Amino acid sequence: MGTDIHGFIECRWDRWLDEDDRVWFQVIDLSHLYNGRDYVAFGSLFGVRDTTSFRALADHRGLPRDVSKEVLADFEPWSDELHGESWISWAELAAADWDEGANEVDGCVHEFRRSSDGTWKMHGRNSSLTRFAELSGLTDARQLYSAGSVYPENTEWPDGDRLFRVGRLQRKDAVPDSEWGAVWSVMRTLADLHGDDGVRMVVWFDG
């Protein structure tokens, strides 16, 4: 059974209000911005599923004590079937070290593509596996999908303007902009209005 993420982005209207009157409001359902099921990302952010690759940024914090009533109303009917409740502010996300390396070698082979400036840019994990199988000679499907456990770290297979490599993820590759960019864009825009501490993502998981 797979694990899916659910939740909302909230913001707090601070302007002109005293601290005691500052209330969090639901802004947008996370499902409108992210619909993936990437366990390395879940682990890197919230300590769910993949708990060894990275230190989680917001590990099982529970729902915020001042969670918005709208978000709480969405969570409570299903609470017995859910787990991993947590939250993280835009201030924390903006301050995170996205170049931080993983604690262990990734089981997936990494594909890099050459950029216009000649540098290698991460393209995907276990992508273009048909071509990788030709280069590596792997024929066993289990080994093909877990080449990081078959070959030593930093083993490479050059392929013109493409390169396959066994190695460690950086946090930015574990939570790629290609999947999470819409979430970051909305939170960043709200933070321009409400401050970095006035925007947060509240999440939980099923499965």
Side-chain angles (χ1 to χ4, degrees), residues 57-98:
L57 296 179
D59 191 2
H60 289 74
R61 292 175 168 176
L63 294 184
R65 60 175 180 76
D66 53 357
V67 67
S68 66
K69 61 183 180 181
E70 299 94 343
V71 171
L72 188 60
D74 192 89
F75 170 81
E76 284 187 328
W78 309 98
S79 59
D80 290 343
E81 303 173 29
L82 304 172
H83 63 94
E85 300 94 325
S86 196
W87 61 273
I88 190 167
S89 69
W90 177 248
E92 292 173 293
L93 289 165
D97 180 5
W98 294 100

Side-chain angles (χ1 to χ4, degrees), residues 68-170:
S68 66
K69 61 183 180 181
E70 299 94 343
V71 171
L72 188 60
D74 192 89
F75 170 81
E76 284 187 328
W78 309 98
S79 59
D80 290 343
E81 303 173 29
L82 304 172
H83 63 94
E85 300 94 325
S86 196
W87 61 273
I88 190 167
S89 69
W90 177 248
E92 292 173 293
L93 289 165
D97 180 5
W98 294 100
D99 291 325
E100 178 185 352
N103 297 320
E104 57 187 19
V105 175
D106 190 12
C108 301
V109 68
H110 300 166
E111 179 183 352
F112 294 83
R113 299 284 179 88
R114 195 185 301 276
S115 302
S116 57
D117 62 3
T119 60
W120 293 107
K121 184 176 181 180
M122 179 83 160
H123 177 73
R125 302 168 61 232
N126 275 357
S127 52
S128 305
L129 283 182
T130 299
R131 179 55 179 160
F132 174 63
E134 295 173 352
L135 294 169
S136 65
L138 289 175
T139 56
D140 183 280
R142 289 172 297 180
Q143 292 185 334
L144 186 63
Y145 279 89
S146 58
S149 62
V150 178
Y151 293 98
E153 184 175 3
N154 297 322
T155 303
E156 294 184 345
W157 295 264
D159 188 29
D161 286 334
R162 177 165 53 183
L163 173 73
F164 295 91
R165 178 189 296 154
V166 169
R168 301 176 189 237
L169 288 168
Q170 290 182 296

Side-chain angles (χ1 to χ4, degrees), residues 177-198:
D177 283 344
S178 59
E179 296 184 12
W180 291 85
V183 178
W184 308 152
S185 180
V186 169
M187 294 184 75
R188 185 184 301 110
T189 299
L190 290 168
D192 288 341
L193 297 172
H194 304 288
D196 289 357
D197 287 317

